[in-house]
Amino acid sequence: MALYFRAAEAARACLSAFPELELADGTCLPGYTSPYLPFGRCEDEDNMCNLYSQTTTQEAMRQLFQGLSVTDRLGNLAPGKVYPDQTAPIIRHDGEAIEMAMARWGMPSPPSVLKTARDPGVTNVRNLTSPHWRRWLGPAHRCLVPVTAFAEPRGGGRGNQWFAAAGTGVSMFFAGIELRNWTSLRKVKDGETTDDLYAFLTCAPNAEVKAVHPKAMPVILTDPRDWETWLSAPIEIASQLQRPLPDEALVQVDEPADPG
């Protein structure tokens, strides 16, 4: 059974009266909008990029970091679309080396935005001055999130527009933060789980994204020097990467096909 509300206040009142209810997993599907904020998002968080595609192979990822020791903990990586609360590959620190590992999309939400004990996680982070995020901004908690294409909502219930790199042979990573062994209640039916989590930074949009979604875009890194800076530099330096890609660095593309 699904319930729909004309106003956010009505949705909040219903959830308060019946705390055992849970937002449907379908709220993460493309084109679906809800008057109630899903995924633990804050009231002022941009409604953006909650869907992307990752098709880079493990070997191709490893080749991008030649000269570095790379530990592969991905198992059998399946390419495809990534939705909030799903697991996806990230590249993070592993002692003195780096490793490719799987993590769950959605960092812990600020306690002030949670209505119940359930925390579905925050997918996008913009305000780096927030005390909630500052504790995870050091190099030990930074990661790179491989991305082939990403979706932005067109608004008005018109679905998503997908974007990819304009040139051939361009490798893209979201500038991410990650947290390991975090115990929380992600889904009521699963009870408490302990997970490795991640999210990625957002910024003002470049020209291509702004034409579709004027509020924000993900922070995307395409230069190997920027990958190294994000993984290793002090936050005072690394935070300068929280900027849009140059105009004309992205093109609109069709929605990627699901792997058959």
Side-chain angles (χ1 to χ4, degrees):
M1 180 179 70
L3 300 177
Y4 297 86
F5 301 90
R6 293 183 180 274
E9 291 75 13
R12 294 191 184 98
C14 180
L15 289 177
S16 296
F18 301 96
E20 71 277 7
L21 292 180
E22 183 177 358
L23 286 173
D25 291 342
T27 55
C28 71
L29 296 178
Y32 181 92
T33 58
S34 169
Y36 193 81
L37 293 174
F39 317 129
R41 290 209 305 271
C42 306
E43 293 282 353
D44 60 350
E45 186 176 277
D46 297 311
N47 178 23
M48 52 81 62
C49 195
N50 274 313
L51 173 61
Y52 68 95
S53 174
Q54 199 302 110
T55 60
T56 306
T57 66
Q58 292 161 254
E59 180 58 28
M61 279 188 240
R62 187 182 296 107
Q63 291 299 320
L64 293 174
F65 298 91
Q66 289 186 6
L68 296 177
S69 175
V70 181
T71 303
D72 186 347
R73 304 187 190 280
L74 293 177
N76 294 320
L77 179 62
K81 296 174 185 173
V82 183
Y83 295 90
D85 205 39
Q86 291 185 344
T87 57
I90 64 172
I91 295 174
R92 65 188 186 185
H93 291 278
D94 178 18
E96 296 181 357
I98 59 175
E99 67 177 6
M100 302 184 297
M102 299 295 288
R104 197 169 182 173
W105 188 12
M107 289 284 283
S109 303
S112 59
V113 308
L114 297 177
K115 309 300 181 183
T116 67
R118 178 175 177 262
D119 180 7
V122 174
T123 55
N124 306 312
V125 176
R126 187 158 184 178
N127 182 12
L128 302 189
T129 65
S130 165
H132 180 73
W133 301 119
R134 282 204 303 264
R135 54 184 154 167
W136 298 316
L137 294 180
H141 288 283
R142 290 195 219 131
C143 66
L144 298 170
V145 183
V147 54
T148 306
F150 65 97
E152 294 287 6
R154 293 192 184 98
R158 295 179 295 126
N160 295 311
Q161 175 60 58
W162 286 81
F163 296 89
T168 58
V170 177
S171 297
M172 300 195 302
F173 291 94
F174 294 137
I177 57 176
E178 59 99 12
L179 179 62
R180 306 176 201 189
N181 298 316
W182 182 265
T183 300
S184 62
L185 182 65
R186 305 284 291 198
K187 294 182 178 180
V188 173
K189 63 182 180 181
D190 295 338
E192 284 193 343
T193 59
T194 300
D195 305 282
D196 291 358
L197 307 174
Y198 76 97
F200 49 78
L201 272 55
T202 65
C203 60
N206 69 356
E208 289 74 52
V209 175
K210 187 176 183 179
V212 174
H213 189 267
K215 290 186 177 181
M217 68 174 288
V219 174
I220 298 174
L221 308 178
T222 59
D223 189 326
R225 293 169 297 184
D226 291 340
W227 306 341
E228 182 177 353
T229 297
W230 180 248
L231 287 178
S232 61
I235 189 58
E236 292 79 10
I237 297 174
S239 62
Q240 297 176 26
L241 297 174
Q242 191 182 21
R243 63 195 181 205
L245 279 177
D247 295 345
E248 300 183 1
L250 296 169
V251 292
Q252 295 186 10
V253 295
D254 293 335
E255 179 177 353
D258 290 318

